[in-house]
Each structure stands twice: as structure tokens, then as C-alpha cells.
Amino acid sequence: MSRVLVIGCGGVASVAIQKCCQVDEVFTEMCIASRTKEKCDALVEKLKGKTKTVLTTAKVDADDVDQLIELINSYKPDLVMNIALPYQDLTIMDACLACGVNYMDTANYEPEDTDDPEWRAIYEKRCKEEGFSAYFDYSWQWAYRKKFEDAGLTALLGCGFDPGVTQAYCAYALKHEFDQIDTIDILDCNGGDHGYAFATNFNPEINLREVSAPGSYWENGHWVEIPPMDIKREYNFDQVGDKDMYLLHHEEIESLAKTIPGVKRIRFFMTFGQSYLDHMRCLEDVGMLSTTPIQYNGQEIVPIQFLKALLPDPASLGPRTKGKTNIGCIFTGVKDGKEKTYYIYNVCDHQECYHEVGSQAISYTTGVPAMCGALMMLTGKWIRPGVYTVEEFDPDPFLDALDRYGLPRSESHDPKLVD
Ligand code: NDP
């Protein structure tokens, strides 16, 4: 028996909500709240007669802490699932603290306005001290640790696939496969084809910011930063085939560098087709990825937000996308004094996801782990006062839940390594 408040009703949230409704013996009551209430109402309509979960909806501006507090106090949930945008992480954490409720999200905080001078000053200091320049990092949310500890509340950060499942794979490898992990390569392959020359698989603003940023990886105790898309490798992915992949900065590297003892190198690679990269480079060159507002015909326009309005809605890609994703981690290290390698990954089919929940695999591979993370918290398996990333909890029940609810693991004890 539990009461959950979900904030956001976009591509990822709609999968997570539908999956929660499949586990209606745990998710007994759920309120779906977002900026556009009509989307929440439409999802409830779609779920009518398919679940015992008692569903309600609400309108909320999650940038406004007072509105959030009012909603949380009136609904009194056991858990708030933040599946809005990373911009809202801190306001929702503040509201959870004020109301005494556990919190989880799927991506770490980044500001909507990266030109805000107050935020920039802190950011530039962090770039110098840490050595990577991505707009997102864990420092903002790790700063809430003591507050959550003192309040006896749990905050679970980044419980999607990557971040999220990839960290559980690392915790699993450390628990069952290795005494010492030396290197981790996280490989995110999307072998899906939606037939458009250019579209993003999740929120375009967040996605384009991430992939147009400098790449970076962790090596021998420090960050190494490289120009965007500077390191390219080819890899033959199970059930997908050969793909080009590029080294990106990714948030879980930051936490894994702290939580996997003695790890020497952590890298993250994502596959991109040439058409995607050509479009992105061109859009960036003409300023369309900028978050700085410009005046146009007497109106203020944020270029990347205007671009988002032109691009296909990621939620509309579901019926068109064919092919599979393959996301996982390759490890090297030592077990019982012997060197070994290990690969754990999930393969997910875009069309199967569409037939089950009406979404493509990118939303599915994020929404299912969000549901499974919530399940871990609501059943008391992942409750510990403080602010934690996924690899800090026992991976076993989480991976079992993923196996059961749509993202089963595959393994190889003799994988091809990435140079
Ligand atoms: P969408 O843009 O599809 O959905 C975002 C939702 O949040 C929309 O319903 C939107 O409302 C709502 N929202 C935005 N701002 C506010 C606000 N101020 N108040 C209330 N609601 C708001 O995004 P996705 O579903 O693609 O992504 C959701 C999250 O998942 C993001 O944080 C993203 O970074 C993360 N993600 C994580 C991945 C992982 O593997 N860990 C992978 C992919 C995504 P409206 O409809 O009105 O715009």
C-alpha cells in the first residue's frame, strides 16, 4: 500500500506511470502532476480499466517551491518521483524536505539558464577545481546530504538507465564478479531508426546540451577533458551490429569515481549516426543550441527552445522507430588473484516497447528503472537517510525487478574490449 506523487508527464514519466500501474499491489494510489494537466488527464483516461491503482491528477509549476509544498501537503505521498526536467531537481528536493517525504529523480540538476551570473560563478569555480565543464554535476544535490540525513529521509538520484541501471551494473559487478574493478566502459547504443533526418529521442534541450558538450573521462584519479566528439570507436553490439560511438561526459562517471574503490579509468560512449552529428554541428554553428535569449520581432526567444518547438516531439517517435537499444558496462579487473573481463547489458526493442506502452525504447529504458527504483524505496529495500546514487544500494533486488518488468540483463564473460 503506497501513495506516490509523480511530477512530470512527458515521454519518460508516461512509461514509468504505466509500469507502476502494472504493479498495482504496491503502487496503490498515484497522483500525476505536471505543468500541463491535460497530458496527465489523457494518460489517466488511457489507463482506465487497466489497473487497480487509484489515479488522480494535478497542475503544478515545479519551479515554484510553495506550489509544490501545497500539493505535497494536500496529497501526503510516501514518495515523490521527479520525472520532470533536471531544472526542477532542487525545488522538488526542497519541497520534499519541507514536507518530510522521500524523493527520487532520473537526472542530476542543471540550471535552465546557464547565463545566470550567480550559477555561473559557482560553475566556473567547479570547472577549475574538478576539471570538467559539463553544465550538470552532482555537487548541487550532494549538498543536500546532511539535510536529508537529519530529516530521516531518502533521496535517490538518477534512477533511469544511464545514469541508473549502469550504476547498478557496476555495484553488481563489484559484488559478484570482481574483488577489484580496474576499468569501466559504459556503452550506450541506440540502433533504432525513426526515419527522420534529425530528431532527438528524449527532451531535445537536455539531449542536445549533453551531446554538444566537451567529452571527459576519469583516469588515474582525475578528469581528462577532450573536445566534443573527439574520441570515436567502432563496436559490434549484440543484436544491433557495428556502430560508431563517441566518448561523452556522463554524470554517473562522477559518482562511480567515488564509489568504486580503486577504479583506474571510467569512460562513457554513445552511438550516433553521421546524419545526427552533421545536423547537430550545423545547428550549433548557427547558434540554434544557445540558451541565451535573443530579441526577434519584439519578442524574446531562446534559440534551443525554438528549435525544440520545430523538432518532432520525442513522444511521437514511438510508432516510427524500429530496431534495438543495447546499453551496458564492460569491466576489467581481478577476481581471486586472476585478471578477468565481464560485460553486462540490456537489449531492448523499440517496437516491442511501443506495443506495450506506446513509447520508443529510450523512454522505456528510463521509465522502467524509475518504476523499479520507486519499488525498491516503497518496499523498504532502498531506504537510508541521506542522498544516494543507485550504486550505493544493493543491486540484486533492483536487477531482479528489471528482469521481471521488461529490461532483462544479458552477460558475457569474454567480451570484446574497447581500445
Ligand atoms: P519530456 O520533456 O518529455 O517531459 C518533461 C515533463 O516535465 C513534461 O510533462 C513537462 O510538462 C514537465 N515539466 C517541465 N517543466 C515543468 C515544471 N516547471 N513544472 C511541472 N512540470 C514540468 O522529458 P523526458 O520525459 O524525455 O525526460 C524526463 C526526465 O528524464 C529528464 O530529467 C531527463 O533528463 C531524464 N532522462 C533520464 C535518462 C536516464 O537514462 N537516466 C534518459 C532520458 C531522460 P509540459 O508537458 O507542460 O512541458
Side-chain angles (χ1 to χ4, degrees), residues 273-318:
Q274 200 51 49
S275 171
Y276 182 96
L277 294 177
D278 291 344
H279 279 78
M280 196 185 74
R281 196 160 298 138
C282 176
L283 290 165
E284 190 172 24
D285 287 348
V286 298
M288 281 301 285
L289 302 190
S290 168
T291 55
T292 307
I294 57 150
Q295 289 294 325
Y296 179 75
N297 274 353
Q299 212 183 329
E300 193 178 89
I301 293 178
V302 177
I304 198 165
Q305 286 175 1
F306 181 69
L307 173 66
K308 182 183 173 195
L310 293 176
L311 290 174
D313 177 358
S316 72
L317 300 177

Side-chain angles (χ1 to χ4, degrees), residues 114-179:
T114 52
D115 294 320
D116 172 19
E118 217 173 296
W119 176 84
R120 261 223 164 240
I122 297 170
Y123 163 77
E124 270 154 22
K125 184 167 175 278
R126 187 267 285 167
C127 290
K128 262 197 215 117
E129 281 170 8
E130 297 286 332
F132 68 94
S133 59
Y135 287 147
F136 46 92
D137 74 278
Y138 279 112
S139 65
W140 297 88
Q141 290 178 277
W142 280 340
Y144 281 69
R145 269 180 185 145
K146 181 138 185 2
K147 287 187 194 165
F148 272 79
E149 270 168 29
D150 290 349
L153 295 172
T154 306
L156 171 63
L157 306 185
C159 195
F161 206 106
D162 45 340
V165 178
T166 49
Q167 287 142 293
Y169 284 165
C170 294
Y172 179 87
L174 192 60
K175 184 172 175 185
H176 299 286
E177 297 285 337
F178 291 92
D179 298 323

Side-chain angles (χ1 to χ4, degrees), residues 44-83:
V44 170
E45 198 54 36
K46 179 176 165 185
L47 283 159
K48 247 187 199 149
K50 294 187 186 150
T51 180
K52 289 201 193 82
T53 307
V54 179
L55 295 166
T56 51
T57 63
K59 182 176 172 62
V60 72
D61 177 358
D63 292 321
D64 182 336
V65 181
D66 292 337
Q67 277 191 37
L68 287 164
I69 291 177
E70 201 183 319
L71 175 63
I72 297 171
N73 276 338
S74 70
Y75 190 67
K76 299 196 182 356
D78 304 303
L79 171 68
V80 172
M81 294 174 76
N82 166 16
I83 322 183

Side-chain angles (χ1 to χ4, degrees), residues 210-215 226-232 245-248 270 272 276-277 280-281:
E210 175 178 314
V211 302
S212 58
I226 56 162
M229 307 290 166
D230 207 39
I231 296 184
K232 175 184 170 185
M245 58 184 194
Y246 297 82
L247 189 144
L248 297 186
M270 191 178 272
F272 295 101
Y276 182 96
L277 294 177
M280 196 185 74
R281 196 160 298 138

